[in-house]
Amino acid sequence: MLRVTIDNISIEVPAGTSILNAARMIGGEVTPPAMCYYSKLKESGGKCRTCLVEVSKGSEKDPRPMPKLVASCRTGVMDGMEVKNITSEKVVDARKGVVEMLLINHPLDCPVCDQAGECHLQDLSYEHGTEGTRYEFDRRTFEKEDIGPYISLHMTRCILCYRCVNTAAELTNKREHGVLERGDHSEISTLLGKSLDNEFIGNVIDVCPVGALTDKTFRFKNRVWFTKPVDVHRDCPTCSGKARAWMRGDEVFRVTARKDQWGEVEDWICNTCRFDKKETKDWVVEGPSKIDRRSVISQGHYVGTEKTQVLIDKVIGKDPKLTLDIHSISDVNKPEIELSKIDGPAHSEDFKTKQD
Ligand code: SF4
Ligand code: FES
């Protein structure tokens, strides 16, 4: 086992663990965001740079810090390593830059995008982005391309994370799409205009962190926060049959794979389960899904909603409320004066003691 300290919290992890996965074992805010890494895929990560961290001590044997910020999804833990994520100003600043870069070419069409409410880029920009943009040029545009009966491609929203390409390469035996061209001309496309009709290809919709790949059978039918996620299963000869139905009343609007706390698919599902089984009678309902990402969906107070673990007190080594304690430096707001007992709003007179 190797000992690593991330944002002042130490943990022992098996050799070969990446910094990102070690941070996920700790959980909470110390976990860097990841837009391209996907633990369920053999090949992923190293593309988006949202998971950058500062290694302030390389290891016990070689304590020199790493000269540049490193991608935590691609960097392995060393014994005695010390890593800074939210405690590093450099990381916070670099992450803002990465978000700005990703948003340079991403249209701000959240009000009409089906992914809104469950978009990782939306979450990322709220949590790590800046308010405005410095970009003044026209954004990229692409010829609209029909990539098949089930999946709609909005190339302008793609952040080129390669997750869909890796998913298709792993789950299907005739991958027909990939990233074509180079640089800012790069685009996801089907080779020779072939449609994506493989039995497991629907999973690319679930792995896409943004609204570039969406479900044609659900598009514009409802906003995700108006639907209620329910864990369901069926006896499926092709896949595990364990899925999540997004319902409104008794209607099944959409079927997706179940996702874990990192927003990653737990079990891949087949196209029949995803696109053809849209009746309640097709499924055995297990109960409301646990939604534990800080997304708008979890604001619906569903049964079993899990709040993200808060670790800030461990990171900064004291109760965060104490950083706001002004009693030691100010004569006002004396702690022995209970504001709730004062009749009406508090005035300076209320804080005068007998000696004053
Ligand atoms: S379409 Fe989605 S999953 Fe595929 S590369 Fe673009 S952003 Fe990633
Ligand atoms: S998640 Fe590490 S580079 Fe994208």
Side-chain angles (χ1 to χ4, degrees):
M1 299 293 275
L2 309 175
R3 189 159 195 81
V4 57
T5 304
I6 306 174
D7 283 342
N8 302 330
I9 301 175
S10 297
I11 188 172
E12 290 203 345
V13 298
T17 307
S18 65
I19 298 174
L20 178 67
N21 278 332
R24 283 187 173 187
M25 287 175 200
I26 298 172
E29 292 101 332
V30 300
T31 313
M35 297 294 286
C36 68
Y37 173 74
Y38 210 77
S39 65
K40 310 296 175 339
L41 295 171
K42 286 188 204 111
E43 237 342 278
S44 71
K47 304 282 192 303
C48 70
R49 319 311 280 181
T50 50
C51 66
L52 289 178
V53 290
E54 181 181 345
V55 176
S56 51
K57 178 178 169 191
S59 67
E60 211 54 70
K61 272 195 198 143
D62 183 358
R64 285 176 303 170
M66 290 193 183
K68 286 182 185 171
L69 302 183
V70 296
S72 60
C73 68
R74 285 286 177 114
T75 312
V77 158
M78 304 288 278
D79 195 32
M81 183 182 254
E82 285 177 17
V83 178
K84 289 181 177 177
N85 177 29
I86 50 172
T87 49
S88 163
E89 268 180 41
K90 274 193 226 160
V91 169
V92 173
D93 200 41
R95 205 162 279 153
K96 274 196 187 135
V98 171
V99 177
E100 190 177 13
M101 161 80 187
L102 289 175
L103 289 177
I104 276 181
N105 283 317
H106 189 90
L108 299 182
D109 58 356
C110 308
V112 294
C113 176
D114 275 308
Q115 191 85 357
E118 54 182 6
C119 173
H120 291 203
L121 186 56
Q122 207 175 28
D123 294 346
L124 188 77
S125 53
Y126 271 102
E127 285 163 19
H128 304 280
T130 49
E131 253 173 45
T133 177
R134 293 174 292 167
Y135 194 70
E136 292 170 355
F137 305 98
D138 286 342
R139 284 158 198 260
R140 288 176 313 171
T141 50
F142 295 87
E143 290 279 316
K144 201 143 177 50
E145 192 180 350
D146 184 356
I147 61 164
Y150 302 121
I151 304 166
S152 171
L153 170 66
H154 274 269
M155 192 51 221
T156 47
R157 297 175 186 158
C158 175
I159 58 160
L160 290 169
C161 71
Y162 280 69
R163 278 183 185 176
C164 61
V165 178
N166 294 333
T167 305
E170 224 168 271
L171 297 188
T172 67
N173 47 19
K174 57 173 185 90
R175 176 168 71 79
E176 286 159 342
H177 82 289
V179 178
L180 309 185
E181 310 289 355
R182 293 280 177 124
D184 70 341
H185 292 286
S186 304
E187 63 174 310
I188 294 288
S189 182
T190 51
L191 297 166
L192 309 172
K194 284 188 177 161
S195 71
L196 301 164
D197 55 4
N198 194 284
E199 190 50 27
F200 277 85
I201 199 66
N203 289 293
V204 297
I205 299 169
D206 285 341
V207 301
C208 183
V210 293
L213 297 171
T214 50
D215 180 344
K216 274 192 178 167
T217 64
F218 176 65
R219 289 184 80 218
F220 306 125
K221 291 229 176 106
N222 222 306
R223 303 307 299 187
V224 69
W225 53 88
F226 292 140
T227 59
K228 183 172 175 178
V230 181
D231 284 355
V232 292
H233 68 261
R234 63 182 279 271
D235 203 5
C236 177
T238 321
C239 69
S240 70
K242 287 186 192 156
R244 184 159 288 165
W246 297 77
M247 305 184 61
R248 193 154 181 193
D250 286 340
E251 273 178 87
V252 177
F253 273 81
R254 170 174 81 140
V255 177
T256 64
R258 297 183 194 178
K259 290 189 177 175
D260 64 15
Q261 61 168 318
W262 310 113
E264 293 182 4
V265 166
E266 286 173 0
D267 273 309
W268 308 111
I269 59 168
C270 66
N271 287 358
T272 312
C273 285
R274 184 185 298 272
F275 301 117
D276 300 336
K277 301 293 172 191
K278 296 284 183 82
E279 302 282 335
T280 348
K281 64 175 167 42
D282 295 327
W283 297 98
V284 179
V285 175
E286 293 173 22
S289 308
K290 285 187 182 173
I291 302 290
D292 50 7
R293 275 182 59 77
R294 277 169 289 174
S295 86
V296 67
I297 305 164
S298 64
Q299 305 306 309
H301 305 296
Y302 297 119
V303 181
T305 299
E306 281 175 15
K307 293 228 162 71
T308 314
Q309 204 186 351
V310 178
L311 288 173
I312 193 72
D313 48 345
K314 294 199 183 68
V315 173
I316 62 174
K318 57 182 167 187
D319 183 346
K321 284 190 197 123
L322 292 181
T323 59
L324 300 171
D325 186 359
I326 58 166
H327 302 313
S328 53
I329 51 161
S330 166
D331 280 342
V332 297
N333 295 340
K334 294 199 168 86
E336 65 274 13
I337 312 266
E338 289 187 52
L339 291 176
S340 62
K341 302 248 167 77
I342 293 173
D343 207 10
H347 296 93
S348 56
E349 290 297 310
D350 296 311
F351 297 99
K352 282 206 169 133
T353 54
K354 281 181 191 132
Q355 299 96 293
D356 299 333

